[in-house]
Amino acid sequence: MAFIHNVLEEPSYGWKDENGNLSKPTQGQIINEFLSRINVFKSKKNWLSFTSWLMVLCLAPFLMLFIFKYFTITGLIIAFLYSMVVMGSHGTVWYHRYCTHGAYKFSNNFWRFFTQNLTLKIIPEEIYAISHHVHHALSDTPGDPYNAQGGFLYCFLADANHQPINRNMNEKGYNRCVTLMKHTGVTANTYAQYQKYGSVANPFRTILGVVLNWSFWFGAFYLLGGIGLACAIFGSAAVWAVGVRTFNYEGHGKGEDKRQDGVDYNRKDMSINQLWPGIVAGEWHNNHHLFPKSARSGFKAYQVDTAWYYIKFMSMIGAVSHYKDSKAQFLKEYVKPALKIEKVFCPVTGKQIFATE
């Protein structure tokens, strides 16, 4: 079996049914799988999925404190902008375009570390990056870890149920996972450690990194605006952490074909361009599936791309040494042919008129 088909831990209900179609579990099966996958008492190899959701749980009290004790309109505006724009754009910049697709390169490790920790750390790189390679290779087909045809819950709990790496790979397979993660700066486990913890990332290094990241940002926000500001921003991070788990269900038409002519040019899968994720996070998803290794996915004039603006700025100051921009190729291959003018003659007057193809 090809590496891409075997790199993720298959859920108990499988990827395919007996006819080779997507196995569509019941909501009860999905929830049972989730509870099993985050149970660290059952297996220490569940630590990464458990930690991912524990971070959301730890952020929830800050949200409650902001709502019921420190609420202000100014705080609400800041929280909204931080969760939607800052964290949304950072997710696109770091996890999506760099960790998974390597659409740009940093000039040195300092700028990589700077970008990695530019916001509160919530999603482990391993959970996102490796599974996202599979998503692109098997998009909207059995094996896609967040196949929208499986339903909302199938996608929402995918980080625990479908995205962890296979825990029983041989050393060659594991080393291929390490190679996929090498450029991210995540210190990889040895093969012996992988057999113990079931992950590329080391649990102690990962948790320490989160603690240091959160401590730094809580201190910074506290100094800037007191406990109210810190609670507003940490609470908004909880909202983003939950909301981002809904994206792939929405971004692939909720399992239906919602692609629009003249908007969604990629027809190999069900990805669609959406205004809200595009404007606040630079996530023009259909464009991205068309050119996944491009550092820019906002190709048209109205397609605001905050993630691209950050990457371009970093390039201008020398922090990014190389990037790939597929806008010119997109316009040449998809937009200009649709606008090409051809000569047409009126059958009544015989005069030349013009029409778009």
Side-chain angles (χ1 to χ4, degrees):
M1 183 178 289
F3 172 75
I4 206 70
H5 291 272
N6 195 46
V7 67
L8 301 181
E9 184 80 1
E10 187 172 359
S12 60
Y13 39 78
W15 301 120
K16 302 177 181 180
D17 61 21
E18 61 276 8
N19 297 316
N21 300 316
L22 175 67
S23 175
K24 296 183 179 181
T26 65
Q27 291 195 351
Q29 287 177 304
I30 294 173
I31 292 172
N32 286 337
E33 184 75 11
F34 173 74
L35 294 175
S36 175
R37 291 288 190 106
I38 64 170
N39 188 346
V40 289
F41 299 104
K42 175 183 176 181
S43 172
K44 66 178 64 177
K45 293 182 179 181
N46 288 330
W47 78 269
L48 193 58
S49 297
F50 171 79
T51 301
S52 181
W53 279 92
L54 178 63
M55 286 190 281
V56 178
L57 189 64
C58 289
L59 290 169
F62 293 102
L63 180 62
M64 295 299 103
L65 282 170
F66 171 67
I67 292 173
F68 296 109
K69 187 172 182 179
Y70 299 109
F71 181 84
T72 63
I73 296 299
T74 300
L76 179 63
I77 293 171
I78 291 172
F80 174 82
L81 292 174
Y82 188 83
S83 63
M84 293 295 103
V85 180
V86 177
M87 293 201 73
S89 299
H90 178 261
T92 305
V93 166
W94 175 249
Y95 294 103
H96 207 173
R97 297 187 190 170
Y98 182 74
C99 290
T100 303
H101 298 292
Y104 62 96
K105 295 180 180 179
F106 293 103
S107 56
N108 56 57
N109 290 340
F110 168 79
W111 290 114
R112 181 182 66 190
F113 177 82
F114 175 85
T115 299
Q116 179 184 23
N117 291 283
L118 199 56
T119 65
L120 279 135
K121 186 173 179 63
I122 298 175
I123 299 176
E125 285 84 357
E126 175 183 337
I127 286 285
Y128 187 98
I130 296 176
S131 64
H132 202 69
H133 282 287
V134 180
H135 168 65
H136 275 266
L138 305 176
S139 191
D140 297 314
T141 65
D144 179 352
Y146 21 86
N147 190 324
Q149 296 170 58
F152 173 80
L153 207 59
Y154 188 95
C155 296
F156 185 70
L157 299 179
D159 66 314
N161 289 6
H162 311 136
Q163 293 177 240
I165 65 170
N166 190 330
R167 292 135 181 210
N168 297 294
M169 288 184 284
N170 58 29
E171 191 166 3
K172 180 180 179 181
Y174 173 67
N175 287 337
R176 291 187 67 176
C177 283
V178 172
T179 299
L180 290 176
M181 294 293 299
K182 188 175 182 180
H183 66 291
T184 67
V186 173
T187 302
N189 282 327
T190 64
Y191 184 64
Q193 289 173 321
Y194 153 74
Q195 290 178 307
K196 181 178 181 180
Y197 297 116
S199 60
V200 173
N202 182 276
F204 306 105
R205 286 178 175 272
T206 300
I207 294 170
L208 177 62
V210 171
V211 170
L212 292 175
N213 173 279
W214 286 22
S215 299
F216 172 83
W217 283 117
F218 189 87
F221 296 137
Y222 179 80
L223 291 174
L224 285 171
I227 188 69
L229 177 64
C231 287
I233 291 179
F234 270 62
S236 73
V239 175
W240 179 84
V242 173
V244 74
R245 287 170 160 88
T246 71
F247 172 74
N248 280 287
Y249 179 67
E250 303 281 345
H252 282 254
K254 300 180 180 179
E256 301 174 6
D257 188 356
K258 296 187 177 182
R259 296 170 296 181
Q260 301 178 51
D261 292 336
V263 177
D264 306 306
Y265 294 88
N266 172 44
R267 296 291 161 148
K268 294 181 180 179
D269 54 56
M270 298 301 175
S271 59
I272 56 175
N273 288 324
Q274 298 170 284
L275 280 175
W276 183 250
I279 290 172
V280 300
E283 186 51 66
W284 301 98
H285 203 54
N286 186 270
N287 288 356
H288 168 70
H289 271 259
L290 201 59
F291 295 102
K293 292 188 177 296
S294 177
R296 174 182 1 207
S297 68
F299 296 139
K300 291 191 172 184
Y302 69 89
Q303 292 176 339
V304 177
D305 192 339
T306 51
W308 162 247
Y309 303 151
Y310 176 83
I311 296 167
K312 184 65 176 178
F313 173 74
M314 293 289 275
S315 174
M316 291 171 64
I317 66 172
V320 165
S321 60
H322 171 78
Y323 62 80
K324 184 175 181 179
D325 179 7
S326 298
K327 180 178 179 178
Q329 186 180 356
F330 169 79
L331 294 175
K332 179 181 178 181
E333 294 182 6
Y334 295 94
V335 177
K336 289 182 179 178
L339 299 177
K340 185 179 179 182
I341 303 298
E342 66 172 357
K343 292 181 179 181
V344 178
F345 293 91
C346 177
V348 178
T349 65
K351 292 183 179 180
Q352 181 180 315
I353 59 175
F354 293 89
T356 58
E357 291 182 332

